[in-house]
């Protein structure tokens, strides 16, 4: 299981990466994409939507199941990954890079990121899952 140190995690298998411009990029973890199987559709929040930390942020569907997505930080959605419309399976191929889901302008990035799990904490949560 790939668990990069440069992102923070929700126990619900989403990640957030604080970018240099203060935005947060959001995706699902490598563990989540393995559990889902082949991703076939992603229903994301609209640009401009306000999200609450750990609140619902969409749905990801695979050939096996559908799963809710949750926001790792509170804030306004500013961008969606356009590649997901045509090739949602990039979430499986590259969950931390090309397969990101959306970007958020956080309300309080520092506080929200402090509430998330680090790589080690996430790995421990997965072992208990």
């Amino acid at each position: 299981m790939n668990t990069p140190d440069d992102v923070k995690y929700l126990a619900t298998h989403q990640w957030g990466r604080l970018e240099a411009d203060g935005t947060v990029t959001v995706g699902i973890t490598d563990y989540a994409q393995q559990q889902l199987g082949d991703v076939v559709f992603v229903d994301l929040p609209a640009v401009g939507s306000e999200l609450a930390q750990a609140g619902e942020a969409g749905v990801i569907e695979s050939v096996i199941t559908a799963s809710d997505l949750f926001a790792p930080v509170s804030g306004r959605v500013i961008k969606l990954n356009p590649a997901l419309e045509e090739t949602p399976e990039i979430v499986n191929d590259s969950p931390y890079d090309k397969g990101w889901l959306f970007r958020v302008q956080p309300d309080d990035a520092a506080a929200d990121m402090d509430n998330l799990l680090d790589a080690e904490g996430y790995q421990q949560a997965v072992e208990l899952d």
Side-chain angles (χ1 to χ4, degrees):
M1 173 176 65
N2 182 14
T3 313
D5 288 330
D6 69 333
V7 301
K8 294 286 202 98
Y9 302 88
L10 280 172
T12 54
H13 313 296
Q14 290 76 41
W15 57 263
R17 177 177 32 238
L18 184 60
E19 304 294 348
D21 64 1
T23 64
V24 174
T25 301
V26 176
I28 66 165
T29 66
D30 185 44
Y31 175 81
Q33 69 81 20
Q34 289 174 10
Q35 297 302 303
L36 283 169
D38 295 333
V39 173
V40 295
F41 180 73
V42 183
D43 182 24
L44 298 175
V47 170
S49 297
E50 291 289 334
L51 303 176
Q53 185 174 43
E56 289 190 27
V59 176
I60 189 164
E61 296 180 16
S62 71
V63 294
I64 298 171
T65 190
S67 183
D68 290 331
L69 296 169
F70 299 93
V73 297
S74 297
R76 184 175 47 85
V77 177
I78 59 169
K79 186 174 182 177
L80 305 179
N81 184 344
L84 296 178
E85 236 177 271
E86 297 294 321
T87 55
E89 65 273 10
I90 64 171
V91 171
N92 296 112
D93 298 334
S94 182
Y96 298 105
D97 295 310
K98 294 178 184 171
W100 62 275
L101 303 176
F102 56 91
R103 289 206 174 103
V104 175
Q105 182 64 57
D107 295 334
D108 188 346
D112 283 355
M113 296 300 277
D114 282 348
N115 291 333
L116 300 175
L117 300 168
D118 62 13
E120 183 179 334
Y122 177 70
Q123 288 174 343
Q124 290 173 356
V126 167
E127 290 170 10
L128 298 174
D129 196 11

